[in-house]
Amino acid sequence: MNSDTFVHAWANAYNDQDFHRFGELYTDDTTYECGPFGLAFTGRDAFVRHLREYAGAVPDRKFTIRRIIADGDAIAVEYGFAGTSSGAHPGLPPAGEPVTAGFCSVLRLRGDRIASQTDYLGGQ
């Protein structure tokens, strides 16, 4: 699978809130880190569990891919994140308010799965 096809499958699984399909894109021992939010997980199950919990905070969240850059076993994905706060997370705006952010995720592949993901928060 080429990098564009892989990234679109990744974003579509996330946008569809298909946690099983999304999780299948990761190795069992995957690592995840998002320094700006102080998040770090080891293992697919821990990462997917976090995503399930966060789904309640921004239930209509979506990725919009802006750019994909691939080099060897690494793919950098620049994308927008947008949704509406449910008010369930203290670090987010009040219920009904928009939640938007720009991200860059660096995905390191092992075979045809993500072995690590590091997220960087950016501007709009």
Side-chain angles (χ1 to χ4, degrees):
M1 180 181 315
N2 74 35
S3 57
D4 284 359
T5 301
F6 185 87
V7 169
H8 284 281
W10 174 77
N12 289 339
Y14 186 90
N15 289 343
D16 293 345
Q17 297 192 48
D18 187 334
F19 300 108
H20 177 75
R21 193 171 86 218
F22 189 80
E24 285 298 309
L25 297 170
Y26 290 81
T27 62
D28 290 341
D29 63 343
T30 195
T31 58
Y32 172 82
E33 182 179 353
C34 183
F37 293 130
L39 298 173
F41 301 98
T42 299
R44 176 179 57 215
D45 293 344
F47 179 46
V48 171
R49 187 170 35 256
H50 162 72
L51 292 176
R52 284 182 184 276
E53 292 169 3
Y54 193 72
V58 187
D60 63 345
R61 72 211 185 289
K62 299 285 183 206
F63 287 168
T64 303
I65 297 170
R66 296 181 182 150
R67 184 174 13 183
I68 301 167
I69 301 169
D71 182 29
D73 68 350
I75 303 172
V77 185
E78 181 184 8
Y79 57 96
F81 173 96
T84 308
S85 177
S86 70
H89 191 285
L92 294 176
E97 294 294 317
V99 177
T100 60
F103 280 92
C104 180
S105 291
V106 177
L107 311 174
R108 188 181 55 79
L109 302 180
R110 184 182 322 130
D112 61 351
R113 294 194 178 180
I114 301 167
S116 71
Q117 177 175 335
T118 304
D119 285 352
Y120 302 91
L121 187 59
Q124 292 298 314

